[in-house]
């Protein structure tokens, strides 16, 4: 078997230049750790320039390129209205690998309602046949995501489910949720829920501020998210359940989570969607539905607080909240148009261009928030025994530039504000 040698790659965590040999047979493969990241299938790592390479080997010169673990997205929807499930799985898998994502947690939707064993089994079969990326389903908290009757958690857990979520749906039945958390805690399952008080956010679609006033749209109060986060934390703490707060969008939401963690709540994690780090409600402009998201885009001060939350570890994960929408749906009026944007195709270049290159976040922040933390939450491993994380590697070229076009969007839809913009960086080695 011909070996592949990667020479002069820069490991993003330490900045050290490395040579490594890949593609060995399973008999020779070993797990090597670099700064606590496990690199499976890598059989040799040396300082740059010291490796002796046979004449018939395949050599990839990675001078100027960055070696890093591929990303894991903890929040993605893959269903596209009007497309078959199998086609959605295929296109989303292609989009993920193009954006540097090797795996994702798939949220339940109407077409992929993971509330029973048969749906999970059929999804697993389709992913095996169609997807280039690993797809882990999040089991539904309640039947049909209706918020009333809990699903059979023991059955879902037996199918490998570790995360429970009703996606964008938030129940107001707190008694049911509290009891469900107690039951799920015995199975070690994690609840992934966004903070919300439905009574306060009904028929709202934008952050209350100058833009909502100008456009005459009802605003979604930030306090609804913050009250929801506080309520979820108290319920989970009392029930002894693991809790993952989804798509935090406000500065006070970050503070609530920070205080809970500082008080000693260990089973609490949180995420922020990439668009909440990059855009504000002012980007909505003149009813631009591309910027309609759930929760809505907030103020610049919220963006800054969220970035600081990622830096100090209050926010554990950066996610895409990938939500494909057909063009017709987004061309409706702002109130009627669906919420969400797609981001898998461009995840790593967008993160580099808008967060790493300007110095807002470091590569160490990105690897922690987009690789190690998401994997450890979705696929818990034994810290004491040191079971390795199975993140594949990629090479990233920070000097490359490209303009995002519709042809680049392999996910099947184009509801992204990045169309026509220039992004820096490209993935120059297929995930390995």
């Amino acid at each position: 078997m011909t070996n592949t040698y990667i020479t002069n790659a820069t490991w993003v965590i330490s900045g050290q230049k490395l040579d490594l040999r890949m593609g060995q047979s399973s008999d020779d493969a070993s797990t090597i750790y670099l700064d606590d990241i496990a690199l499976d299938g890598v059989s040799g790592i040396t300082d740059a320039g010291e490796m002796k390479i046979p004449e018939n080997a395949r050599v990839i010169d990675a001078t100027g390129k960055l070696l890093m673990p591929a990303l894991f997205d903890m929040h993605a929807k893959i269903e596209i209205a009007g497309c078959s499930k199998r086609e959605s799985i295929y296109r989303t898998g292609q989009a993920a690998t193009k954006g540097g994502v090797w795996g994702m947690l798939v949220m339940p939707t109407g077409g992929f309602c993971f509330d029973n064993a048969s749906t999970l089994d059929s999804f697993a079969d389709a992913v095996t046949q169609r997807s280039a990326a690993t797809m882990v389903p999040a089991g539904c908290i309640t039947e049909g995501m209706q918020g009333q009757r809990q699903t059979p958690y023991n059955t879902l857990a037996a199918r490998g489910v570790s995360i429970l979520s009703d996606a964008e749906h938030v129940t107001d039945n707190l008694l049911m949720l509290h009891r469900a958390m107690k039951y799920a805690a015995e199975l070690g399952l994690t609840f992934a829920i966004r903070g919300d008080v439905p009574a306060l956010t009904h028929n709202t679609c934008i952050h209350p501020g100058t833009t909502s006033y100008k456009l005459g749209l009802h605003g979604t109060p930030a306090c609804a998210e913050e009250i929801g986060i506080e309520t979820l934390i108290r319920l989970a703490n009392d029930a002894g359940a693991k809790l993952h707060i989804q798509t935090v969008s406000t500065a006070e939401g970050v503070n609530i989570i920070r205080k809970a963690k500082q008080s000693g709540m260990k089973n609490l994690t949180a995420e922020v969607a990439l668009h909440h780090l990059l855009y504000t409600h002012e980007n909505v402009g003149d009813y631009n539905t591309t910027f309609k998201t759930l929760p809505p885009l907030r103020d610049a001060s919220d963006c800054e607080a969220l970035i600081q939350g990622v830096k100090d570890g209050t926010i554990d994960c950066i996610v895409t909240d990938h939500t494909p929408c057909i063009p017709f749906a987004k061309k409706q009026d702002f109130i009627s148009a669906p919420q969400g944007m797609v981001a898998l195709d461009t995840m790593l270049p967008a993160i580099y261009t808008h967060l790493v290159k300007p110095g807002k976040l470091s590569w160490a922040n990105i690897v922690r928030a987009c690789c190690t933390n998401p994997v450890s939450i979705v696929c818990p491993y034994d810290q004491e025994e040191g079971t390795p994380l199975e993140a594949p590697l990629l090479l990233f070229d920070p000097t490359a530039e490209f303009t995002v076009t519709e042809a680049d969007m392999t996910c099947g839809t184009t509801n992204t504000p990045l169309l026509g913009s220039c992004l820096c960086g490209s993935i120059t080695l297929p995930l390995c």
Side-chain angles (χ1 to χ4, degrees):
M1 179 177 182
T2 302
N3 287 325
T4 297
Y5 290 80
I6 300 175
T7 62
N8 293 312
T10 301
W11 179 239
V12 295
I13 305 298
S14 64
Q16 179 185 3
K17 287 189 178 296
L18 303 168
D19 289 340
L20 64 160
R21 184 172 69 248
M22 309 182 70
Q24 288 289 80
S25 66
S26 58
D27 294 336
D28 297 331
S30 61
T31 300
I32 295 178
Y33 291 84
L34 286 174
D35 297 327
D36 296 325
I37 308 294
L39 311 179
D40 288 345
V42 179
S43 58
I45 296 180
T46 66
D47 289 335
E50 293 184 0
M51 183 176 289
K52 296 180 180 179
I53 302 175
E55 292 183 2
N56 61 346
R58 177 189 178 211
V59 179
I60 298 176
D61 185 0
T63 302
K65 297 180 176 62
L66 305 177
L67 175 69
M68 62 184 294
L71 312 185
F72 190 99
D73 183 16
M74 256 205 77
H75 192 143
K77 302 181 189 74
I78 66 174
E79 182 180 11
I80 305 174
C83 295
S84 70
K85 294 180 181 180
R86 296 175 68 86
E87 181 66 9
S88 299
I89 290 172
Y90 172 78
R91 285 184 176 272
T92 305
Q94 294 294 315
T97 55
K98 184 175 182 179
V101 178
W102 72 273
M104 70 192 76
L105 180 68
V106 178
M107 292 294 110
T109 57
F112 293 107
C113 193
F114 305 120
D115 61 359
N116 59 79
S118 60
T119 301
L120 288 167
D121 290 343
S122 61
F123 178 75
D125 290 341
V127 169
T128 300
Q129 297 173 19
R130 303 284 291 173
S131 178
T134 297
M135 295 185 180
V136 180
C140 295
I141 295 174
T142 59
E143 293 182 357
M145 298 182 286
Q146 296 300 308
Q148 297 304 315
R149 297 179 57 185
Q150 69 183 64
T151 55
Y153 297 160
N154 56 341
T155 300
L156 303 187
R159 291 299 193 280
V161 168
S162 62
I163 305 291
L164 298 172
S165 178
D166 277 351
E168 70 271 17
H169 305 283
V170 177
T171 181
D172 57 4
N173 190 339
L174 298 184
L175 176 60
M176 181 281 303
L177 184 58
H178 187 235
R179 289 175 175 174
M181 283 183 170
K182 286 186 174 181
Y183 179 48
E186 299 177 1
L187 299 171
L189 301 176
T190 299
F191 278 76
I193 318 176
R194 67 182 179 87
D196 188 27
V197 179
L200 290 175
T201 58
H202 183 63
N203 287 334
T204 63
C205 56
I206 191 174
H207 176 72
T210 55
T211 305
S212 66
Y213 181 79
K214 180 180 68 174
L215 300 180
L217 298 172
H218 292 295
T220 303
C223 70
E225 178 177 324
E226 294 149 8
I227 294 170
I229 291 174
E230 185 76 52
T231 301
L232 291 171
I233 288 174
R234 288 180 176 270
L235 288 174
N237 195 38
D238 185 76
K242 296 178 182 179
L243 176 64
H244 179 76
I245 304 295
Q246 293 185 306
T247 56
V248 180
S249 70
T250 73
E252 183 57 29
V254 177
N255 288 333
I256 293 170
I257 295 167
R258 182 180 289 115
K259 290 176 183 178
K261 288 187 172 185
Q262 290 174 346
S263 69
M265 189 172 178
K266 296 181 179 180
N267 290 329
L268 174 64
T269 55
E271 71 183 34
V272 60
L274 181 57
H275 49 256
H276 283 121
L277 301 177
L278 306 184
Y279 310 113
T280 71
H281 64 95
E282 295 179 352
N283 290 109
V284 172
D286 189 18
Y287 300 101
N288 188 341
T289 59
T290 302
F291 292 97
K292 184 181 180 182
T293 62
L294 182 71
L297 301 173
R298 303 289 186 180
D299 282 320
S301 59
D302 294 303
C303 290
E304 294 172 3
L306 290 164
I307 290 173
Q308 182 57 42
V310 174
K311 283 184 177 180
D312 64 26
T314 301
I315 302 297
D316 301 88
C317 308
I318 299 174
V319 303
T320 63
D321 192 11
H322 180 83
T323 306
C325 304
I326 59 174
F328 169 77
K330 280 290 190 178
K331 289 179 180 178
Q332 299 178 91
D333 64 271
F334 198 88
I335 295 176
S336 303
Q339 295 149 320
M341 57 179 70
V342 292
L344 279 173
D345 287 281
T346 55
M347 185 177 185
L348 186 52
I351 286 173
Y352 173 70
T353 302
H354 296 293
L355 295 175
V356 177
K357 191 175 181 181
K360 295 179 180 180
L361 292 174
S362 68
W363 277 119
N365 295 145
I366 299 305
V367 171
R368 185 181 69 243
C370 298
C371 180
T372 54
N373 283 350
V375 172
S376 65
I377 295 169
V378 176
C379 312
Y381 67 101
D382 192 330
Q383 295 280 0
E384 293 182 359
E385 295 185 6
T387 303
L389 304 178
E390 298 181 352
L393 299 175
L394 58 81
L395 281 176
F396 184 74
D397 182 359
T399 64
E401 293 185 356
F402 67 100
T403 299
V404 182
T405 65
E406 290 189 7
D408 294 317
M409 307 305 294
T410 55
C411 66
T413 62
T414 57
N415 54 304
T416 171
L418 292 175
L419 280 180
S421 65
C422 180
L423 293 181
C424 302
S426 66
I427 298 160
T428 58
L429 183 71
L431 304 186
C432 48

